Amino acid sequence: MAFPIAVLVSGRGTNLQSLLDHAGDRLRARIAVVVSNTPGAPALARAAAAGVPTAVVDHRGYRDRVAFEDALIAALDAHRPRLVVLAGFMRVLTPRFVGHYEGRLINIHPSLLPCFPGLDTHARALAAGVERHGATVHFVTAGVDEGPIVLQVTVPVLAADTPEALAARVLEQEHRILPQAVRWFAEGRLRCEAGGARLDGRPAHEVARLEDF
Ligand code: GRF
């Protein structure tokens, strides 16, 4: 049975779509479940269209964050994922949740971390006048957008860019680096260790380059 992964989403789900499009041989992984905190998120329809089981855990239905995350963990663990992927999941997770999936929780973020953690990254990059922008896949630790970096890709910032145009250029690359990171993890090549992310036993930030996507 292929390596089972779970994907957490909140919205439109284009990064999920990229994983769905590559699931199986290319990804070396099987998407066992897609879980959304937002009922009706377009990402859920993408999963359903691909025949992937879905679940909704609406944060608004729980008395606090702990109760919400308990339900989230139950929805995920019912499918025994070996990796959990945050693909546009818009809730901040507690250290307890992050600890439950320690070393097997990754996120895609639309900036070159550590620059521009948080929201509105493209507008902030334009306001800052940077020449290059990009996207990052990283392991998730307790601090928001702070965990060990797995893989980054850069794109140029053009003089005529709007936040939307820049976002589209970055998104195209997100759709490549996220499946790449999943594939490495499923192949056993990527690990999160005390000293950081390691690919083939070497520091990921030194050696990780797109290979397959
Ligand atoms: C992406 O830009 C991702 O990097 C960020 O949220 C956005 C989600 O887009 N975390 P989509 O739902 O995958 O289309």
Side-chain angles (χ1 to χ4, degrees):
M1 185 182 65
F3 193 91
I5 69 168
V7 186
L8 276 173
V9 295
S10 297
R12 83 196 147 167
T14 65
N15 277 288
L16 167 67
Q17 189 66 56
S18 174
L19 296 175
L20 291 167
D21 290 347
H22 296 300
D25 285 353
R26 293 280 313 282
L27 200 61
R28 305 276 199 259
R30 169 176 69 85
I31 303 177
V33 66
V34 171
V35 181
S36 173
N37 67 307
T38 316
L44 290 167
R46 294 176 187 270
V52 170
T54 62
V56 174
V57 181
D58 186 346
H59 57 280
R60 293 167 300 189
Y62 295 87
R63 66 183 177 281
D64 57 26
R65 215 175 267 275
V66 170
F68 164 61
E69 289 186 352
D70 279 345
L72 209 51
I73 288 171
L76 293 166
D77 286 358
H79 296 267
R80 301 182 171 279
R82 294 178 64 188
L83 174 70
V84 176
V85 180
L86 306 181
F89 184 68
M90 300 308 284
R91 304 297 297 174
V92 171
L93 296 164
T94 68
R96 185 167 152 273
F97 182 95
V98 172
H100 184 81
Y101 296 106
E102 189 177 359
R104 54 189 181 109
L105 182 62
I106 62 172
N107 180 44
I108 175 85
H109 181 77
S111 80
L112 295 173
L113 291 172
C115 296
F116 312 119
L119 300 175
D120 299 323
T121 56
H122 310 299
R124 287 159 61 208
L126 287 178
V130 295
E131 287 178 2
R132 298 196 70 82
H133 185 45
T136 303
V137 177
H138 65 95
F139 281 104
V140 178
T141 53
V144 174
D145 298 331
E146 275 181 11
I149 289 171
V150 172
L151 179 60
Q152 293 186 305
V153 65
T154 69
V155 302
V157 177
L158 307 181
D161 267 344
T162 58
E164 294 71 27
L166 184 54
R169 194 173 311 120
V170 170
L171 192 63
E172 212 177 296
Q173 300 305 319
E174 292 183 36
H175 296 163
R176 304 174 70 206
I177 61 174
L178 187 59
Q180 179 71 79
V182 169
R183 176 169 163 148
W184 284 333
F185 193 90
E187 289 175 329
R189 295 175 59 190
L190 175 66
R191 291 211 166 81
C192 187
E193 294 177 359
R198 295 183 86 82
L199 181 65
D200 299 330
R202 301 179 58 198
H205 69 273
E206 287 177 14
V207 295
R209 302 285 177 272
L210 270 171
E211 290 172 354
D212 304 297
F213 296 94

